[in-house]
Amino acid sequence: MFFNSQGKAEATYDAIVVGSGISGGWAAKELSEKGLKTLVLERGRDIKHGDYPTANNDPWDYETGELVPQAEIDKHYAKQNRTGYTVQQSHKHHFVKDDEHPYTEVKRFDWMRGYHVGGRSLTWGRQSYRLSPMDFEANARDGVGTDWPIRYEDLAPWYGYVETFVGVSGQNEGLAQLPDGNFLPPMDMNCVEQEFKKSVAANFGGRAVTMGRTAHLTQPNPAVHGSRGKCQFRNRCMRGCPYGAYFSSNASTLPAAAATGNMTLRPHSVVHSLIYDKETGKASGVRVIDGQTGETHEFFAKVIFLCASALGSTFILLNSQSEIHPDGIGAGSGQLGRNLMDHHFQVGAEGVYDGFDDRYYKGRRPNGIYVPRFRNVGTDKQADFIRGYGYQGGASRENWMRGIKEMDAALGADFKDALIMPGQWKMGIMGFGECLPYEENRVVLNKDVRDIHGLPTLTIDCEFKGNEMAMRKDMAQSAAEMLEAAGFKDVETYDRGANPGLGIHEMGTARMGTSAKNSVLNKWNQVWEAPNVFVTDGAAMTSAGCQNPSLTYMAMTARAVDYAVNELKKMNL
Amino acid sequence: MDRRTILKYTAYATGFAIAAPLTSALFSGCKAEPAAPDYTPVFLDADTYKSVAAMAEAMLPATKTPGAGELGVPAFIDRVLASYTEPDHQTRIKSGMTAWLQSVATANGGKAYHALEPAQQLSLLNTLDTESKAAAEALPTSGLSPEEMELQWPWWMSVKEMAIGGYFSSEKIGLEVLAYDPIPGAYQGCIPLSDVKATWSLP
């Protein structure tokens, strides 16, 4: 149906971007800056940069505190609450209500997301790492999944390009497994972290410990970063940063796109399918339900960028069914919806440091230290698992919560007064491990369960398997070894269990590959079956690496836009 | 998220997912404020509420800084139990608390905990605390499933956490007793402790 109040000409743009998160923001910026009239369709409400109502709240400013009432959690956030940190008074409005946006789990899968302008770029962890040459070669070398159709060299200049605009603070280390980048000055390590770094280098053959590479401006350059400000070390990032100090679509790419005059941003626009033109073999546009009015719209463009998140973009492809594509556009290879991956974590070790009792720190650093991958790198060969993992962690002094269980002191006056001062230094490191692509880890369309708009939903069937489980044993063990070697006491390992999704790095399901037989996308992120459709979010990933993935999505997006615009100029699209 | 992760809380900030749900929510969280003298408990019955208030005050008495009662910690505990606690944990805490208070009364000729002398209140509380910590320490090696362990978590450890969380996240303590620094501006990783008067109040 075609209910546009305007005619087809008014509903036609040069480019359409679906989604305004970390990938969609980049597509919007690059397309607009290259002169294309670009329509950005965001399924949720608008959030303008600065519209962060809780940004300056103190704990005692809430009538009921950060705790969200159990009845509200039960009604709206049964799944979003599984992280333990997303559903809090100060940022729960950046996450979906599960009752409005249901999904079905064959096995537990924690799908965390926010439907609003900026998407998860408002709430992301901001850790920014490049994949390395060995990551792009891994599938071919191991005979796992399918080969990436690109290599590190294809993406390297685009990593540099996005790092500069994003503003990534970090330290170059010259590591093959974690390439250097264009970094702003790194944040500081505290006294105990510095000791840990020295010990790990000395005791583990030069193994690196580096400051987390994070998308925070430690030294803004107005010529590049505009009006974004320097990080104030408040660590209230998930509420939205009024300083624009961390990278989000809202603070960074969308304002850049708007400044060109070429972008039209349309919130409340739920794209549910592509319009396929069998004459041209391309998609002529997208179908939209207005999230507020329920009206149906169609919009048209020469190129379409799907940046709706891994599962969001895959949903649109699966739901674009027609006689020619009965199982959705891109389903011809049989790979659409398959090879769902996430990083597995929640495993590591922690310990207590004796010493530095007279030292403390100032500021709430929104970042930690990083131990780059060292397994199956260089001469290291693990018998029990392939690929590897990195650690994120940090040291801090205990606060009053140590009074619950970690003090031997008798309760009463001295106990209370002691809790006013900081306790011992503690340090923890937690592994983030690569997950292999498994065809049977997949999503399928579910037409029986409908969302608030009456649209079909997804059924997710995904689990971690033997390689991940074997890796976890080493993740706990190696963490403890490093802490013990550095002199930590009471070192304990932990494994809180691995549920896919909880890393909020879900990826795969429309992978890139070398042919239309083994993949959904080609080496330029074009859908083989509709080459004017580009998918440049996590869906495109052929393997996961162990690095936090957002920087890769940004680089892939910028690269794909550059290609698409050149092809348009050559009249090839 | 599992309440058992309280066991494993560490305060490091990676800018990523740290599982410390109730703990982090509490100490960044609930507002303990001076309760009106006529605060009517919602979850606890009036007599139990008096005893819980006495326990909080025994643990966190007025010294050069205010005591738990003055900062509304008892009301805070009642509110958290009433509206912010899952039903099976409400049951766990209430039944454990009722049984313990009953045993105290039985051993003291029918006198409720709140009616005992302060010194005896503190002594009983310390015994309970030692036993509860030992029970909590034993859980990870109990062979129980994580879900079963959660439901075996000692009731006093939960109430103690609410009391400490409520006390130290109150406005009075956050602004006047602890070191309040809403906009640090920078991170300095290794400064003399003597430059700071107390633990930083904001997480």
Side-chain angles (χ1 to χ4, degrees):
Chain A
M1 281 189 293
F2 186 61
F3 283 164
N4 280 352
S5 52
Q6 68 269 56
K8 185 165 180 177
E10 287 80 51
T12 298
Y13 296 79
D14 295 327
I16 289 172
V17 177
V18 182
S20 63
I22 219 150
S23 306
W26 268 100
K29 170 185 178 298
E30 296 299 299
L31 289 161
S32 302
E33 288 182 346
K34 290 175 189 292
L36 274 68
K37 293 291 177 193
T38 303
L39 175 66
V40 179
L41 297 168
E42 163 54 50
R43 64 180 298 154
R45 71 186 188 282
D46 195 12
I47 295 181
K48 295 220 161 32
H49 177 53
D51 185 12
Y52 311 129
T54 59
N56 295 311
N57 285 358
D58 283 324
W60 43 86
D61 289 332
Y62 294 102
E63 218 169 73
T64 55
E66 283 291 353
L67 293 179
V68 174
Q70 192 59 42
E72 185 179 342
I73 292 172
D74 292 345
K75 181 166 166 44
H76 294 308
Y77 300 112
K79 292 180 181 180
Q80 301 304 299
N81 193 45
R82 289 174 180 177
T83 62
Y85 64 88
T86 44
V87 183
Q88 296 194 5
Q89 292 291 1
S90 61
H91 53 241
K92 68 179 182 190
H93 51 286
H94 289 161
F95 293 88
V96 297
K97 290 180 173 167
D98 290 308
D99 51 328
E100 295 177 358
H101 303 287
Y103 64 96
T104 305
E105 301 161 278
V106 176
K107 305 180 188 79
R108 176 172 165 178
F109 188 94
D110 304 332
W111 190 18
M112 304 295 141
R113 62 229 194 267
Y115 291 161
H116 46 255
V117 167
R120 287 182 293 194
S121 79
L122 274 179
T123 54
W124 67 309
R126 308 169 307 283
Q127 294 285 301
S128 299
Y129 302 99
R130 296 184 178 201
L131 296 185
S132 71
M134 67 185 71
D135 295 313
F136 289 98
E137 294 157 9
N139 279 3
R141 185 186 58 232
D142 298 330
V144 167
T146 197
D147 190 13
W148 280 89
I150 58 172
R151 288 293 180 263
Y152 176 70
E153 292 67 32
D154 295 304
L155 214 49
W158 297 102
Y159 275 128
Y161 177 73
V162 298
E163 280 163 351
T164 299
F165 183 77
V166 166
V168 179
S169 84
Q171 179 74 51
N172 283 324
E173 300 282 356
L175 300 171
Q177 69 274 35
L178 196 74
D180 291 343
N182 301 341
F183 298 139
L184 302 174
M187 294 177 181
D188 282 349
M189 288 188 190
N190 62 42
C191 341
V192 170
E193 291 161 352
Q194 289 171 25
E195 290 301 307
F196 179 73
K197 177 185 168 78
K198 273 186 247 168
S199 164
V200 170
N203 294 312
F204 295 88
R207 190 180 292 174
V209 176
T210 191
M211 197 59 223
R213 296 173 182 174
T214 187
H216 285 247
L217 298 183
T218 51
Q219 197 178 83
N221 175 358
V224 177
H225 305 119
S227 60
R228 291 176 57 203
K230 185 171 168 289
C231 179
Q232 299 298 309
F233 292 86
R234 303 173 344 126
N235 198 23
R236 290 171 161 178
C237 313
M238 282 173 80
R239 308 172 184 188
C241 182
Y243 304 90
Y246 75 85
F247 176 88
S248 65
S249 298
N250 313 60
S252 312
T253 44
L254 292 176
T260 65
N262 289 327
M263 179 184 73
T264 303
L265 173 63
R266 194 181 195 284
H268 300 293
S269 300
V270 185
V271 174
H272 58 85
S273 55
L274 297 165
I275 304 163
Y276 187 74
D277 182 341
K278 51 186 175 182
E279 304 300 318
T280 62
K282 293 188 283 196
S284 57
V286 298
R287 299 185 191 89
V288 166
I289 290 180
D290 187 299
Q292 284 182 307
T293 65
E295 285 174 347
T296 304
H297 296 274
E298 296 183 347
F299 295 100
F300 306 93
K302 299 187 198 89
V303 290
I304 297 166
F305 272 72
L306 292 185
C307 300
S309 85
L311 299 188
S313 292
T314 293
F315 168 83
I316 292 167
L317 292 172
L318 285 168
N319 199 42
S320 299
Q321 298 182 345
S322 64
E323 219 171 294
I324 300 172
H325 300 107
D327 299 315
I329 294 176
S333 63
Q335 295 298 326
L336 182 62
R338 294 189 179 274
N339 313 294
L340 175 57
M341 298 171 280
D342 184 24
H343 291 125
H344 62 100
F345 69 120
Q346 303 254 71
V347 58
E350 51 202 33
V352 172
Y353 196 82
D354 270 340
F356 292 116
D357 288 343
D358 61 345
R359 312 303 287 179
Y360 203 18
Y361 41 79
K362 177 179 160 63
R364 296 181 295 282
R365 190 185 60 196
N367 188 17
I369 57 112
Y370 190 71
V371 183
R373 174 178 163 185
F374 50 87
R375 286 308 185 208
N376 297 314
V377 173
T379 56
D380 184 272
K381 288 280 177 290
Q382 294 298 305
D384 297 336
F385 61 90
I386 58 172
R387 314 292 169 93
Y389 56 86
Y391 290 107
Q392 297 181 31
S396 61
R397 293 191 73 159
E398 294 179 297
N399 70 5
W400 52 90
M401 297 313 279
R402 74 186 185 281
I404 299 165
K405 186 171 152 290
E406 288 155 45
M407 280 170 68
D408 293 326
L411 307 179
D414 293 346
F415 169 81
K416 191 191 75 172
D417 290 343
L419 291 182
I420 288 166
M421 295 304 288
Q424 284 186 296
W425 287 90
K426 287 184 97 171
M427 182 158 182
I429 55 174
M430 180 186 278
F432 287 76
E434 179 160 359
C435 157
L436 298 178
Y438 303 102
E439 279 194 1
E440 58 273 30
N441 281 347
R442 67 183 302 201
V443 297
V444 295
L445 212 55
N446 183 336
K447 294 185 178 176
D448 299 324
V449 177
R450 300 270 165 167
D451 70 6
I452 193 170
H453 310 296
L455 295 171
T457 55
L458 289 175
T459 293
I460 306 175
D461 185 358
C462 185
E463 64 179 357
F464 292 130
K465 296 179 190 282
N467 196 64
E468 291 78 37
M469 294 307 155
M471 191 186 295
R472 294 178 75 78
K473 290 189 183 132
D474 190 59
M475 290 158 89
Q477 185 61 32
S478 295
E481 282 170 9
M482 284 190 279
L483 289 169
E484 275 166 359
F488 285 83
K489 305 283 192 306
D490 301 330
V491 173
E492 283 186 61
T493 62
Y494 61 84
D495 184 343
R496 295 176 194 141
N499 302 306
L502 200 63
I504 323 186
H505 295 166
E506 74 276 5
M507 62 174 92
T509 66
R511 72 182 180 194
M512 297 167 79
T514 52
S515 89
K517 288 198 173 62
N518 61 27
S519 57
V520 180
L521 309 176
N522 72 8
K523 65 179 175 179
W524 299 107
N525 297 76
Q526 290 171 284
V527 178
W528 291 106
E529 294 173 16
N532 69 326
V533 178
F534 294 75
V535 182
T536 66
D537 55 28
M541 299 291 279
T542 311
S543 70
C546 64
Q547 300 91 321
N548 305 56
S550 298
L551 189 73
T552 297
Y553 307 162
M554 297 192 243
M556 278 198 313
T557 303
R559 174 178 177 267
V561 169
D562 185 66
Y563 174 80
V565 174
N566 283 333
E567 289 297 291
L568 276 176
K569 282 183 192 152
K570 292 185 220 156
M571 310 290 281
N572 290 339
L573 275 180
Chain B
M1 179 41 103
D2 308 328
R3 298 290 159 98
R4 72 179 177 281
T5 52
I6 295 160
L7 285 164
K8 286 296 185 188
Y9 175 70
T10 45
Y12 59 86
T14 62
F16 199 82
I18 300 303
L22 183 58
T23 305
S24 63
L26 271 174
F27 82 68
S28 61
C30 255
K31 183 178 191 173
E33 58 184 5
D38 58 349
Y39 175 80
T40 307
V42 180
F43 181 79
L44 301 171
D45 64 65
D47 201 61
T48 305
Y49 179 72
K50 275 193 210 166
S51 286
V52 167
M55 294 172 87
E57 190 66 23
M59 177 168 71
L60 304 168
T63 56
K64 59 184 193 280
T65 53
E70 187 185 336
L71 293 181
V73 169
F76 173 93
I77 294 171
D78 184 66
R79 280 199 296 264
V80 172
L81 284 171
S83 303
Y84 301 90
T85 303
E86 293 168 81
D88 48 356
H89 290 280
Q90 285 178 326
T91 306
R92 169 180 66 84
I93 293 165
K94 192 167 196 169
S95 64
M97 179 189 284
T98 304
W100 187 75
L101 289 173
Q102 190 72 57
S103 74
V104 167
T106 305
N108 289 280
K111 255 189 175 180
Y113 178 87
H114 63 79
L116 301 174
E117 290 301 314
Q120 196 186 354
Q121 287 179 350
L122 185 57
S123 163
L124 285 166
L125 192 64
N126 270 310
T127 304
L128 171 67
D129 190 58
T130 304
E131 289 167 0
S132 299
K133 279 195 286 196
E137 292 284 358
L139 275 180
T141 53
S142 62
L144 295 173
S145 73
E147 294 71 24
E148 290 166 332
M149 264 191 265
E150 271 187 65
L151 291 173
Q152 295 295 319
W153 188 243
W155 71 272
W156 165 243
M157 301 306 286
S158 300
V159 173
K160 187 185 185 188
E161 178 177 7
M162 292 171 198
I164 291 175
Y167 182 88
F168 284 95
S169 64
S170 67
E171 183 165 11
K172 175 96 176 163
I173 300 300
L175 290 181
E176 296 174 20
V177 176
L178 299 173
Y180 179 66
D181 190 12
I183 308 174
Y187 181 77
Q188 296 167 267
C190 207
I191 63 170
L193 176 59
S194 54
D195 287 1
V196 186
K197 64 171 181 171
T199 303
W200 299 112
S201 63
L202 298 175

